[in-house]
């Protein structure tokens, strides 16, 4: 099965729905994750940095991997390991957005969460539609997101992620569920996870 931009879009939507409505069985959803880390020491920025650090070391181990039964219910068109990677990363991003006081069920917030997955490239994607990441970007940027702008951002994100997953070989389409090694390798890339987490923090908090 060839991976396409449409496949990426379906996987994004599936993973995000799971993130904000109950999670994959055996894992916390974004609200539960945000509530847990909101009890941590320090100010909001410190708590968010903690969730990013935790993501680096814990999210691809026992907690998520014991709940992979939920992945079996995937729509046929979505590769399980692609959905798993996106679920893990989007859960962190959505938790950060929730901690920043945003409504993650809002389409505008969802689009910004998808953009966060692009890491450093998010700045260029948003700049192309007239949004500059900077002071109060989250507040001002979200107000600018019309339906047409949301569509453009989502298209750019889909193309970017297609390039990212294709070039890195993260998604092994020939194997449905033996994804412990593949998912762990993708998610435990500390550099990538830090960049995505920091991008989400910059979009939703600063």
């Amino acid at each position: 099965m060839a991976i396409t931009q449409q496949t990426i879009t379906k996987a994004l939507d599936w993973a995000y729905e799971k993130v904000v409505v109950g999670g994959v069985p055996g894992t916390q959803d974004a609200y539960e994750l945000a509530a847990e880390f909101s009890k941590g020491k320090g100010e909001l920025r410190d708590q968010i940095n903690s969730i990013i650090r935790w993501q680096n070391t814990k999210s691809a181990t026992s907690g998520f991997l014991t709940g992979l039964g939920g992945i079996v219910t995937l729509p046929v068109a979505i590769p399980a390991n692609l959905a798993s990677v996106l679920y893990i990363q989007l859960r962190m991003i959505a938790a950060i957005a929730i901690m920043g006081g945003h409504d993650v069920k809002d389409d505008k917030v969802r689009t910004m969460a998808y953009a966060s997955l692009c890491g450093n490239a998010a700045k260029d994607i948003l700049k192309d539609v007239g949004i500059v990441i900077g002071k109060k970007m989250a507040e001002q940027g979200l107000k600018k997101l019309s339906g047409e702008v949301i569509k453009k951002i989502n298209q750019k994100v889909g193309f970017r992620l297609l390039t990212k997953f294709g070039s890195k070989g993260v998604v092994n389409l020939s194997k449905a569920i033996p994804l412990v090694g593949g998912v762990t390798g993708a998610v435990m890339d500390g550099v990538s996870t830090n960049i995505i987490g920091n991008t989400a923090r910059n979009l939703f908090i600063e």
Side-chain angles (χ1 to χ4, degrees):
M1 178 173 58
I3 185 169
T4 64
Q5 194 163 336
Q6 185 179 24
T7 308
I8 293 281
T9 299
K10 286 183 178 179
L12 280 170
D13 290 343
W14 176 89
Y16 197 83
E17 290 297 328
K18 290 293 183 183
V19 160
V20 301
V21 185
V24 166
T27 71
Q28 295 172 303
D29 65 18
Y31 291 101
E32 293 166 331
L33 203 59
E36 178 182 339
F37 279 88
S38 293
K39 299 174 184 175
K41 296 180 180 178
E43 299 178 351
L44 179 59
R45 182 186 174 89
D46 300 317
Q47 294 167 349
I48 286 175
N49 287 341
S50 292
I51 205 171
I52 295 170
R53 287 195 300 270
W54 174 85
Q55 178 83 16
N56 280 335
T57 58
K58 298 291 176 65
S59 62
T61 56
S62 59
F64 181 72
L65 296 176
T66 55
L68 283 179
I71 298 295
V72 177
T73 63
L74 273 170
V76 176
I78 304 176
N81 39 6
L82 169 61
S84 302
V85 171
L86 293 176
Y87 173 83
I88 293 170
Q89 299 287 20
L90 280 171
R91 185 177 61 162
M92 172 183 69
I93 294 166
I96 290 171
I98 291 166
M99 292 168 75
H102 298 283
D103 177 8
V104 290
K105 294 180 181 178
D106 186 305
D107 285 344
K108 297 177 181 180
V109 175
R110 178 196 287 244
T111 293
M112 286 298 196
Y114 289 177
S116 297
L117 286 168
C118 298
N120 291 333
K123 181 183 290 186
D124 292 332
I125 288 172
L126 295 175
K127 187 177 180 181
D128 284 347
V129 295
I131 298 173
V132 179
I133 297 178
K135 191 174 182 181
K136 293 194 174 181
M137 198 299 305
E139 179 183 338
Q140 296 171 359
L142 287 174
K143 289 179 180 177
K144 291 183 179 180
L145 289 184
S146 64
E148 188 61 31
V149 171
I150 286 175
K151 186 176 178 181
K152 286 181 180 178
I153 293 173
N154 287 340
Q155 287 173 341
K156 290 176 181 291
V157 167
F159 179 76
R160 179 71 187 184
L161 292 179
L162 177 61
T163 303
K164 173 183 175 181
F165 287 123
S167 64
K168 291 189 175 182
V170 171
V171 184
N172 183 346
L173 300 180
S174 64
K175 299 178 182 178
I177 290 291
L179 43 75
V180 174
V183 171
T184 302
V187 178
M188 296 300 281
D189 179 349
V191 174
S192 174
T193 300
N194 268 326
I195 291 171
I196 290 171
N198 291 340
T199 300
R201 187 188 63 219
N202 292 340
L203 286 175
F204 292 115
I205 306 300
E206 297 169 352

